[in-house]
Amino acid sequence: MTWHSGGVSLPEERRRDTRLDDYHSSYSQRTHQMRASAVRALFAVANRPEVVSLAGGMPNIADLPLDVVAQNISTLIQQRGTQAMQYGSGQGEPFIREQICEVMALEGIQAHPDDVTVTCGSQQGLDLVTRIFCDPGDVILAEAPSYVGALGTFGSYQAEVVHVAMDEHGLLPEALRSAARACAEAGKRPKFLYTIPNFNNPSGITMTLERRRQVLEICREFGILMVEDNPYGLLTLDSDPIPAIRSLDDEQVVYLGSFSKTFAPGFRVGWVLAPHAVREKLVLAQESATLCPPVFSQYAVGSYLANHDWKAQITSFKDMYRARRDAMLHALDEFMPPGATWTHPEGGFFVWLTLPEGLDSQAMLPRAVTARVAFTPGTAFYADGLGSRNVRLSYCFPTPERIHEGVRRLAEVVNQELELHQTFGLDRSPMHVSRAVGPGPETV
């Protein structure tokens, strides 16, 4: 009952909805566009010890020399602790920006430290780039499939994602030209093209050098900025790194980098290399978001780079990931039924599996978890609902033995699904198994 000063009681107004969030109606439209990551939603299940997780892309840092890292941090605190634990520049500390330029030089990028902005991982860099370029309703072009974290960021800023098809050589130039022309005819200019050219997450596909030149030329033609996201570029397993797109044009391309895959993700140090005018806007956006990126993390990473043979450490990581990649490819070849196809990544963390015709990866996931194997359904990597036949498989963290067992379990689930389709008359003639294909039919 509600009592009023006149002594009269009136019945309380009864709430008629079932919302558990009292502030639902107060959130911004932007907040309502936010969606939980499909990968994060799997963590609780995938982390159970009896489950072989082929779902997440967590780097394996077991081979990181923790004694060296510990000694560097101890010396850092003793000698420069008051600096390392103080506020810093919104752009990032000058010394680590210089070191970042040395790292990028391995992929042919000639950059000046003044054009580098340090971020809390490359994910924050992507958020800042999207913030300074996109208004609600703006168009972003993105590979199909594309990184789930990027799609979440674009959605949070209410941008419209237009996917561009790719094949085993990367983005299709004519598909990009067609998408750009369609946007122009609709009176919309894409704010940028988002691409992961090296070992794309999730497909594992690498854009060839010739294809990079063609895509860059089309972006010049239509006045479209390129955002090159390159967290895996130095983790090439079969050859030397391909020159970065940013190395081909320092005005048309914004480059995102990270130490999460080549050192350790817990420090959350990434960066954005951008044309000078864009860099000014990024620093302003950075200062409004965090005031300054974590100074201690920058000093810790900088100390590691200065006092350890980090190039040899990357080689060690590559050897480890190569063994895991090969284990997954061999297991797929051994266990997967006819009609399944998959990519052959030359680096990075992921294989992109296309299931036999008629199967749905999202519907199959609960049965896979029951069989004690986890994966990420392909629909997570599209903004338009495609990818139902696709699966992202990660080989970066489990041991080769666990990968072999995980793929075996997954193949059993796939075969059970095929039997169900045959039982209920949904079977189609099996397709020939192709061992060297692009992303699969769902991407076009």
Side-chain angles (χ1 to χ4, degrees):
M1 305 289 284
T2 302
W3 290 90
H4 297 268
S5 59
V8 179
S9 63
L10 297 173
E12 293 180 350
E13 183 178 350
R14 180 170 296 176
R15 185 167 173 169
R16 298 182 182 278
D17 60 52
T18 59
R19 291 175 184 159
L20 299 178
D21 187 349
D22 291 335
Y23 302 100
H24 183 273
S25 61
S26 298
Y27 293 133
S28 67
Q29 291 183 5
R30 179 174 61 254
T31 302
H32 289 298
Q33 300 297 316
M34 296 179 179
R35 297 290 183 267
S37 164
V39 178
R40 181 164 62 88
L42 282 169
F43 275 174
V45 171
N47 287 337
R48 286 159 40 189
E50 70 273 17
V51 175
V52 178
S53 176
L54 306 176
M58 185 165 62
N60 192 322
I61 58 174
D63 290 348
L64 194 67
L66 297 183
D67 55 340
V68 173
V69 176
Q71 183 58 51
N72 282 339
I73 291 177
S74 176
T75 302
L76 168 63
I77 293 175
Q78 293 171 15
Q79 297 181 355
R80 307 186 71 178
T82 56
Q83 291 174 276
M85 292 184 282
Q86 186 55 273
Y87 286 124
S89 163
Q91 186 177 353
E93 300 308 297
F95 72 92
I96 198 168
R97 289 190 275 116
E98 294 174 359
Q99 291 173 315
I100 286 170
C101 289
E102 295 175 8
V103 171
M104 292 189 293
L106 296 179
E107 295 182 277
I109 297 175
Q110 301 300 314
H112 194 282
D114 284 351
D115 291 326
V116 174
T117 301
V118 179
T119 58
C120 301
S122 62
Q123 181 71 30
Q124 192 208 19
L126 183 60
D127 184 275
L128 297 179
V129 169
T130 309
R131 183 194 306 185
I132 66 174
F133 279 104
C134 292
D135 291 314
D138 280 343
V139 171
I140 295 172
L141 302 180
E143 292 163 326
S146 193
Y147 170 48
V148 61
L151 298 179
T153 296
F154 302 155
S156 72
Y157 285 100
Q158 300 171 276
E160 176 189 353
V161 175
V162 174
H163 279 303
V164 180
M166 58 193 299
D167 63 11
E168 66 271 23
H169 302 300
L171 272 169
L172 288 163
E174 286 311 309
L176 175 60
R177 185 183 301 277
S178 178
R181 188 177 293 121
C183 288
E185 291 172 353
K188 294 185 176 183
R189 176 188 174 190
K191 287 302 182 72
F192 56 81
L193 166 66
Y194 173 73
T195 177
I196 305 176
N198 293 317
F199 327 122
N200 165 273
N201 179 358
S203 72
I205 287 174
T206 296
M207 192 186 305
T208 63
L209 181 58
E210 178 59 27
R211 189 68 62 85
R212 295 175 193 221
R213 293 192 175 102
Q214 292 172 343
V215 167
L216 182 58
E217 186 57 38
I218 293 170
C219 286
R220 290 183 184 132
E221 177 185 344
F222 286 89
I224 300 172
L225 179 72
M226 291 189 69
V227 175
E228 178 182 15
D229 195 354
N230 190 33
Y232 311 101
L234 295 181
L235 296 178
T236 175
L237 305 181
D238 299 324
S239 61
D240 293 332
I242 297 177
I245 301 175
R246 180 60 168 71
S247 72
L248 306 176
D249 193 316
D250 57 7
E251 289 297 322
Q252 196 74 32
V253 183
V254 171
Y255 178 97
L256 306 179
S258 173
F259 288 109
S260 292
K261 310 302 188 294
T262 54
F263 178 30
F267 290 107
R268 307 306 301 134
V269 177
W271 68 89
V272 183
L273 173 65
H276 192 76
V278 176
R279 188 267 292 169
E280 289 291 321
K281 302 296 188 299
L282 286 170
V283 173
L284 293 175
Q286 171 72 289
E287 290 173 343
S288 71
T290 64
L291 186 62
C292 63
V295 175
F296 187 83
S297 290
Q298 294 176 67
Y299 271 86
V301 174
S303 177
Y304 168 82
L305 294 175
N307 299 307
H308 183 63
D309 188 353
W310 56 272
K311 294 180 182 178
Q313 186 59 51
I314 290 176
T315 299
S316 175
F317 284 149
K318 289 163 60 174
D319 292 341
M320 175 185 60
Y321 290 134
R322 185 182 301 108
R324 284 160 165 76
R325 189 259 332 249
D326 291 347
M328 176 165 283
L329 293 177
H330 291 154
L332 288 167
D333 190 64
E334 179 180 356
F335 295 119
M336 280 294 156
T341 61
W342 52 89
T343 56
H344 276 206
E346 298 174 354
F349 287 0
F350 306 108
V351 170
W352 188 240
L353 171 67
T354 300
L355 299 171
E357 189 175 355
L359 300 193
D360 186 313
S361 60
Q362 185 71 50
M364 195 176 74
L365 181 59
R367 289 182 277 277
V369 171
T370 301
R372 295 172 297 134
V373 61
F375 59 81
T376 308
T379 50
F381 305 97
Y382 292 86
D384 52 14
L386 294 179
S388 61
R389 282 181 59 197
N390 295 118
V391 169
R392 189 190 73 174
L393 299 176
S394 172
Y395 55 77
C396 54
F397 195 77
T399 64
E401 294 75 21
R402 292 276 284 176
I403 290 170
H404 185 270
E405 175 60 17
V407 173
R408 186 193 67 78
R409 295 177 187 178
L410 177 60
E412 284 190 354
V413 175
V414 173
N415 280 314
Q416 290 167 4
E417 292 291 297
L418 286 172
E419 289 177 5
L420 284 174
H421 279 257
Q422 293 169 4
T423 300
F424 290 100
L426 300 175
D427 182 44
R428 297 175 176 86
S429 298
M431 297 182 296
H432 177 69
V433 182
S434 175
R435 303 310 203 231
V437 296
E442 289 286 4
T443 64
V444 294

